[in-house]
Amino acid sequence: MLSRSDMVSVQFIKFGMVGVIGLAVDTAVLYALIYGASAGPYGARILSFLAAVTTTWALNRCFTFRGDHPDPVHHQWAKFIVANSLGGLINYGVYAGLIASGDPFAAHPVLAVCAGSLAGMFFNFAASKKLVFKGV
């Protein structure tokens, strides 16, 4: 049986794996909106972030923090959004700052998406574990 600290380490690794999938969703939606729908990089990022955070909530629910979830699904999703909003603001702030700085980030937005995602990841793990999936 895993110790509590080993369990947290395993959950953090799983959270990171899910985060990579979220990063892929975030980037794919961002690029589709910027290059396919001619959206601006700032508004497009808000929509791509919402797609990514919904994806990561679902995957974290069934993979990272699987177990008994007493809250109704829609309540848990809303809690995840709220709990991860500060991490999301950190993520978006880093992204927006790098995009505004020009190349190479303006030419390759995925670089700014990656930097923003990493900046928010540690906060989001703690918020998810303590506020959304507590006891799992």
Side-chain angles (χ1 to χ4, degrees):
M1 181 145 183
L2 293 175
S3 70
R4 181 152 173 77
S5 65
D6 288 341
M7 174 111 74
V8 171
S9 296
V10 168
Q11 286 177 329
F12 185 75
I13 290 167
K14 288 180 173 183
F15 191 84
M17 292 166 62
V18 166
V20 170
I21 295 168
L23 176 65
V25 169
D26 198 344
T27 302
V29 172
L30 179 71
Y31 274 56
L33 292 170
I34 291 173
Y35 299 111
S38 300
Y42 302 106
R45 182 66 202 289
I46 293 169
L47 295 175
S48 70
F49 177 78
L50 287 173
V53 77
T54 298
T55 300
T56 57
W57 162 75
L59 293 173
N60 278 314
R61 178 180 165 83
C62 63
F63 177 65
T64 307
F65 302 106
R66 67 179 162 205
D68 291 331
H69 299 286
D71 292 336
V73 171
H74 64 287
H75 288 171
Q76 189 182 59
W77 176 81
K79 279 178 156 179
F80 189 79
I81 298 293
V82 170
N84 286 269
S85 63
L86 182 55
L89 289 173
I90 293 165
N91 181 330
Y92 186 83
V94 169
Y95 166 83
L98 291 173
I99 291 293
S101 74
D103 285 337
F105 301 104
H108 305 286
V110 66
L111 299 174
V113 172
C114 289
S117 294
L118 282 173
M121 182 175 80
F122 293 99
F123 178 84
N124 286 341
F125 176 75
S128 295
K129 176 126 182 87
K130 299 293 181 190
L131 302 174
V132 181
F133 301 108
K134 54 187 169 195
V136 180

